[in-house]
Amino acid sequence: MKRILYLYCHPLPESFHGAIRTAALDGLARAGHEVDLLDLYAEGFDPVLTAEGRRHYHDVTVNQRGLVDYVARLRAAQVLVVQFPTWCFGPPAMLKGFIDRLMMPGVAFDLSDPRHVRPTLDSLERIVGVVTYGRPRWMALAMQDPPRRMVTRYLRWFAARRARTEYLALYHLNVASDDRRRAFIERVRTRMERL
């Protein structure tokens, strides 16, 4: 059994992403994992890094103000599943704001020696991206696929040294058939069962 932080970012519960989330959570429950669903929209997460927040970003004695609960949830996770749609070849602003605010000194990395910055989310053993794109894969690749890089490279850097990443993507959702959509949902469910 693993402790899963399921970071979900989509504003519409009735969306295709809602169906993916339901299947993923079902798969995780079948596997007996302990799941913490962090639905950014439903929880009303404030993605804005204020002037005051930026001013104290490097001060680890105060930079977690207003974020203590989110920090605790992130630190407790052994697996981080990040589910989101790709908008304008990037993550939604809500998710980007979460990452901007939580991946900070004293939480995700140690900046006490600026020449040797050290990641500190040692409990994270795996990061899984569950992502949809409105455009075909070749267009995402032409843009260097920022969402994939964010999940498999950027977030991975903060995790344990031997942490693994996986990326489940459905490209060209705008023209995907019902069969292709159902197949993706089942792929996600099955993958979550095998975490």
Side-chain angles (χ1 to χ4, degrees):
M1 180 178 89
K2 301 278 189 193
R3 290 184 313 275
I4 314 288
L5 178 61
Y6 199 100
L7 180 57
Y8 178 77
C9 187
H10 198 288
L12 304 175
E14 72 278 8
S15 68
F16 179 62
H17 267 272
I20 296 169
R21 181 182 77 176
T22 297
L25 294 176
D26 177 60
L28 291 168
R30 286 182 189 186
H33 295 301
E34 179 185 323
V35 180
D36 177 5
L37 173 60
L38 199 173
D39 182 332
L40 294 174
Y41 282 95
E43 293 191 21
F45 178 78
D46 182 359
V48 177
L49 179 61
T50 64
E52 191 67 14
R54 182 63 185 110
R55 193 168 285 119
H56 298 293
Y57 178 83
H58 292 94
D59 184 348
V60 298
T61 64
V62 296
N63 67 357
Q64 295 177 37
R65 285 185 188 153
L67 299 170
V68 173
D69 180 55
Y70 293 110
V71 170
R73 293 164 78 179
L74 180 61
R75 284 183 174 154
Q78 293 173 292
V79 178
L80 174 63
V81 178
V82 186
Q83 182 190 333
F84 61 95
T86 298
W87 292 339
C88 301
F89 293 102
M94 178 75 82
L95 179 58
K96 178 67 168 71
F98 180 87
I99 291 168
D100 288 346
R101 295 192 68 200
L102 270 289
M103 300 301 157
M104 64 180 165
V107 175
F109 59 95
D110 178 357
L111 194 60
S112 58
D113 178 0
R115 292 176 192 235
H116 301 98
V117 178
R118 186 177 59 82
T120 57
L121 292 176
D122 298 329
S123 64
L124 271 183
E125 302 166 0
R126 186 176 294 180
I127 299 169
V128 180
V130 179
V131 185
T132 61
Y133 295 72
R135 299 292 183 180
R137 186 158 192 238
W138 72 265
M139 290 184 88
L141 292 174
M143 302 298 277
Q144 299 183 354
D145 208 346
R148 181 181 292 266
R149 287 177 175 220
M150 181 189 76
V151 171
T152 63
R153 294 183 187 182
Y154 183 71
L155 292 177
R156 163 66 188 82
W157 184 85
F158 299 106
R161 180 177 292 278
R162 290 187 169 86
R164 295 180 304 179
T165 61
E166 297 175 64
Y167 196 75
L168 308 173
L170 177 60
Y171 292 91
H172 220 179
L173 175 62
N174 294 340
V175 298
S177 67
D178 288 343
D179 287 344
R180 199 162 151 243
R181 289 173 186 235
R182 279 192 296 272
F184 184 73
I185 287 172
E186 285 311 308
R187 179 179 170 216
V188 171
R189 183 193 320 269
T190 301
R191 192 61 206 102
M192 294 301 122
E193 287 177 1
R194 295 178 182 166
L195 275 184

